[in-house]
Amino acid sequence: MTWWHAGACVALVALVASTAVAPSATAGAAQSVAAARAVDILTPEQHFGFKMGTEGKLAAYPDVLTYMKLIAERSDRVDYETIGSTTMGNEYATVIISSPANLRRLDRLVEINQKLSDPRNTTPEEARKLAEEGVPFYHLEATIHSSEVGNGQAINDIVHRLATEDSDFTKNVLNNSVIVLVPSQNPDGQHLIIDHFNRTAGTEYARTYPDLYHKYTGHDDNRDWTMFTQVEAQYRLALEKKYRPAIVHIMHQKGNTGSRIFVPPYGGITSENVPANMSSSVSAIGQHAARELAAAGKTGVGSLDYHIFWTLEQPVGYFPFTGSGVYLTEIASVTDYAYPQVSQDGRPLGPQQARMNLIEPYRSNTWTLADIVDYAKIATYAGMEYTADNGGKLLYDNLYAVPYEYMTQGVPSGTFAFVVDAKQRDPYATFEMLQRLEWTQVEIDRATSEFVAGGKRYGAGSYVIKMHQPRGNWAHQVLGVDTYPEVRDCADCPALLPYAEATTSLPLQLGVDVAEIRSPFQANLERVASVKVPPVTMPTAPGDKGAYLVRPESYGTVQIVSALQNANIPTFRSAKSFTGEGVSYPAGTYVVPATPQARNVLATAAAKVGLQVTAVSRAPRTPGVQLKPQTKVGLLRGVGNMPGGWDMWQFDQYGINYDVVSAQDFQRKSLNELYDTIVISHGVSREDIVEGLDPKEYGEEYSWAYGVGDKGWRKLQQFVRNGGTLLAIGDSVETSQELLNLPMKPALPDDEDQFTTGGSLLHQEFDPNNPVAWGMPESWPVWLYDTQAWELTGDSGQVVSNYPAEGDVLASGYLRGAEHIRGAVNIASFTVGKGQVVTYGSEITFRTLTRSQFNLLYNAIYHGPAAAVDADAVQHLRPQFGPDGAPAQR
């Protein structure tokens, strides 16, 4: 249970229990700072047995937490808190550092920040007084990408210094700010990476961890800032909402070919929804850090890079939209985490031409872990110093003035509100979208009667999200449709494109009908106190000849189907649309026998997703299929493959009966013994399957990812020909085409000057009568980034969806070369031998964001192994399978 699920005022652990009144003025604070029992606190070298940054040495994460706890026990400047458990059951912690006086009044300081961040109850005059009374919070996040280990070592020196030193610097930082340190935003990855590194010391095995260093998201763990799917992202959001930091310092490492460290100002394109105050304050911090690094003789300091403020894909997320300044540092990495990088030709590392974005190049040919630690500490101390020196301005100009501007003036685009029609084809998608808005403290109103907005009439129960509110800019960012600009640094320079996302439109990703309204309108509204799953009521149980019906439009339906699968309840689907007791139902509607067991399963599952189950006194007479009970799914994800990790999360959340396909599975006589359907995640190549991990470099615990050789490749071919279903997503379509010689060829040019999307939503036309597209609308956007569209070259394939041949192709984001994709095929299905293959040219499961497309995958997962039945069999709900999944005896 996350914090806000139990109520906004409830925390897992209270940060400070004391309510003592703090001494007034800075003299009392200085005396308290001097009282720290520094003599009892070991240095990092004494505690760990080596100096931070020592070649080939990494402090294990549990030992880091133990050290932080020891310092908190012995210093009145440091508090330690366990926030909760991570995905893999490890400890997610924070360390609060400030003067003893500030720690004693921490509740009051938090209260001040809460008042400043919500200007509805605070006038500008009151805000200035609060800013003078309070101190800014400095959120320091040491590691999220767990292979970037240097920052996680540096924090031990940083905390020790703040806990023990009585210099003017520490007195200033402690008296005039509060540090909220997250030792790792991804503790699981710290365990995986560093434990593997330490465990393989002195062996012949590779020191680098081969797989995802977050169970599900891997390196994508800093790109979960709109749906907050992972518990770690939810913890981070809760910390932001509680403490309201003025500055957020996110410590990263980068590749080792460029500058030695990046500090702001940033480069590239920014969204109009990102507050200017935030960007300017962070630029000032970055330049202060550059000066401090130069004063310390540290060269190779770069800036004007990392265009991170168009979308939310990079480390920033929700923070800058609230007025928190996001201070990103990116330090060059070394070899195998902890060994020096040495140039092979003896020349200095990194670019050597002095420029405005690299004033003084790095002149050495060697870069070490100790260098990373030194640069990290200097940059962090500079950020802390700037924050402490400018607390009043940061609290007022950022924390207060930013939400005040949106509350009083609205967003720069002039949008008045977004309206969410009460009538939606997917109520569960509407719930999930509104829930995420609620998590990020967006105010949501509901209409109590009909109203007109933008020339359209909306019914009672429709939702209105106005832009004149403290989080108006965030709401506009995630609800609007994006038009990413064509910007180049020079006429011959490439376009400045984002890392992977040119849009963050939640309505289009989830499948919710949302209208952007620019002109003010009148409506009778009530504030939504809490977003809840729509209530459902089970219908009266029909007679023996009746059936329960579940519509196929919502992606939430999959959770109902998986519950039926796991309970071994016979489940049919109609192959055609039909009418039942005056109600029209589309092709793909689920038909379930009206047994007491089925009713119990349906009632529980439907309540979780807010989808209504209906009943008919007579099962429909329509041809269809019966799903194979407990359909066995294999996920061929590849080692270290992030899309495969996201697919695992999705399958786990939706209750899919799956296993990750392992090298050992290929030792069976046939893969058909294990799986009915195999899903190949985006990014899995023939080499990944055939070659896999090298057993000489990685031990038995990674044997699941060893190569299966040409023999295994042929077994995968035979799996399909014997009747298995194979689904290939994104780049893996090329793998399936190579595997089975499918009659298709690429439609898009490789040259990005001719065609590129930058990660965007493109219009798509579906065939809802095709079983793969059952429940889909005739048109809705799909996600496309760096994958192919296709042209079928034979008659054996069926087109499930294609890009429009005429009209607009781009729905939201960026597109160059629309003419190359017009009319091209996205999803196609093929019969191969006795089996089925479905190819998804676009990555329909991209970071589990594009949920409006999920049914395209789940339809195919279950349809391939299903048994075709005639209308009589559906009407009489005559099983084609036994409970064990074997064909029923006749």
Side-chain angles (χ1 to χ4, degrees), residues 141-155:
E141 188 174 285
T143 63
I144 182 168
H145 289 157
S146 297
S147 57
E148 300 166 10
V149 296
N151 295 306
Q153 308 297 296
I155 59 171

Side-chain angles (χ1 to χ4, degrees), residues 508-509 761-764 766 779-783 811-812 852-853:
L508 294 183
Q509 290 174 345
L761 290 158
L762 307 185
H763 289 295
Q764 191 85 165
F766 297 97
S779 63
W780 194 263
V782 299
W783 178 263
S812 185
S852 63
Q853 303 161 46

Side-chain angles (χ1 to χ4, degrees), residues 686-709:
R686 183 184 191 278
E687 182 180 2
D688 294 327
I689 298 170
V690 174
E691 301 297 331
L693 283 184
D694 186 347
K696 295 180 181 178
E697 294 189 354
Y698 293 98
E700 185 67 23
E701 62 187 296
Y702 306 109
S703 61
W704 68 272
Y706 290 169
V708 300

Side-chain angles (χ1 to χ4, degrees), residues 78 97 167 228 285 451 645 750 800 854:
V78 180
I97 309 166
S167 65
F228 304 98
I285 288 181
F451 65 98
D750 293 331
V800 178
F854 279 5

Side-chain angles (χ1 to χ4, degrees), residues 490-646:
C490 65
D492 296 328
C493 294
L496 295 176
L497 296 179
Y499 175 77
E501 293 174 73
T503 181
T504 53
S505 177
L506 284 182
L508 294 183
Q509 290 174 345
L510 301 184
V512 184
D513 182 18
V514 175
E516 183 174 2
I517 310 297
R518 293 187 172 273
S519 300
F521 59 87
Q522 296 296 318
N524 296 321
L525 303 174
E526 61 181 5
R527 182 59 41 84
V528 175
S530 178
V531 175
K532 299 183 184 300
V533 175
V536 296
T537 303
M538 284 296 291
T540 301
D544 293 341
K545 296 182 179 180
Y548 294 110
L549 304 178
V550 180
R551 299 183 68 92
E553 291 96 340
S554 172
Y555 62 79
T557 303
V558 178
Q559 297 187 49
I560 300 177
V561 176
S562 64
L564 293 168
Q565 282 267 305
N566 293 333
N568 264 336
I569 294 174
T571 305
F572 296 79
R573 299 192 77 176
S574 64
K576 296 182 178 180
S577 61
F578 64 92
T579 300
E581 299 184 1
V583 178
S584 297
Y585 293 89
T589 294
Y590 295 90
V591 183
V592 183
T595 63
Q597 182 193 16
R599 182 179 182 85
N600 290 336
V601 172
L602 287 169
T604 301
K608 290 181 179 179
V609 292
L611 299 177
Q612 188 63 50
V613 176
T614 58
V616 288
S617 59
R618 181 81 172 177
R621 184 172 179 80
T622 174
V625 296
Q626 184 198 347
L627 305 190
K628 184 176 182 180
Q630 295 190 324
T631 300
K632 296 176 292 185
V633 181
L635 179 64
L636 190 53
R637 71 173 181 87
V639 68
N641 179 14
M642 286 182 288
W646 283 109

